[in-house]
Amino acid sequence: MQSADSDAEQLLPPTLHIPTPLLYSTCMSKQAGCNVWLKLENMQPTQSFKLRGVGTICTGALLERDAQRLVTAGDTNAALAVAYSARQLGVPATVFIPRGGQASAVRAKIELEGADIVEEGRSLREAYNAARAFVRECDGAVMIDTADDAAAIAGNATIVSEINIQLQRRKPAVIIAPVGSGGLLAGLITGMQQCLWQRVPVIAVETHNTNSAPSNDCRTAEPTVATCLLAGSVCPKALELSREHPVVPISVSEAMAVEACRRFLDDHHMLIEVAVRQH
């Protein structure tokens, strides 16, 4: 006779993210003088890799903590992934955002997924603190926070396991990825270690104005088009893994980032964003 936990596990999907295509880019390959492949995470149900890590956390919250409500903060791709995951898992979601902010396309998508929006505080930090307080007072509510979360890193690592299969176990020369707070970077390194690609470097790219400052640096952020890459510091796990795996940090200008999106549209007929919250 199966336990209630086993029954619940059978009702949940194995993953909330989907395998994404690995597209060979003839244009980029000719320009770079080597084979270039594109891992199209923009084709996830929430148009972002965030669903891999967030979906893993949310599924675990139901299975391991019997979550009755999923809670997060911000009108970001991560919050959208929480809202999507909650709808897929059949539980409500509450997303806290600062008061008075300009309505964004991401917020509209969060609402479309059926999440409750609560405006609280004047900054994202205050909204986050309000979300934490709500979780403490609401029975069955679980805070979904992806910062340095082992489940999120494990979810992001599935990108590499898919690439390994799609390349038919051939080892790439390098992996290039954007870096903000470091969750994607930590996942990529974890996946590469699992595939025994310990010597394959990661080129971690961000714009000049999103270079992460040390945690005790209170500098004022410069204007940037890549707003979703803004982070006060890189998560500790990403820093730890980067000490044992080759990581090459590269920063580009705002103009280069925008031009890359324009060329991507010309070359591949796909419109992508510069890691920006849409307004």
Side-chain angles (χ1 to χ4, degrees), residues 60-135:
L62 263 71
L63 288 175
E64 300 162 15
R65 302 172 64 181
D66 191 28
Q68 303 300 308
R69 177 178 293 273
L70 304 179
V71 182
T72 193
D75 56 345
T76 62
N77 284 328
L80 174 58
V82 172
Y84 173 85
S85 298
R87 184 172 65 81
Q88 292 294 315
L89 295 170
V91 295
T94 301
V95 179
F96 284 74
I97 64 173
R99 289 192 300 268
Q102 184 177 1
S104 70
V106 175
R107 173 174 174 173
K109 292 177 182 178
I110 291 171
E111 292 176 326
L112 191 63
E113 293 293 346
D116 298 325
I117 301 288
V118 178
E119 295 188 10
E120 193 70 49
R122 293 174 296 178
S123 66
L124 182 58
R125 172 52 58 183
E126 291 182 358
Y128 177 86
N129 291 338
R132 281 286 187 191
F134 175 81
V135 167

Side-chain angles (χ1 to χ4, degrees), residues 13-22 39-56 81 84-85 88 155-163 166:
T15 63
L16 295 173
H17 66 267
I18 63 171
T20 55
L22 187 69
K39 186 62 170 160
L40 299 180
E41 286 299 287
N42 57 312
M43 299 189 74
Q44 289 291 349
T46 60
Q47 297 84 53
S48 164
F49 80 92
K50 290 285 187 180
L51 183 57
R52 292 180 183 267
V54 170
T56 303
Y84 173 85
S85 298
Q88 292 294 315
N156 293 338
T158 60
I159 295 175
V160 180
S161 60
E162 286 178 20
I163 293 174
Q166 290 164 324

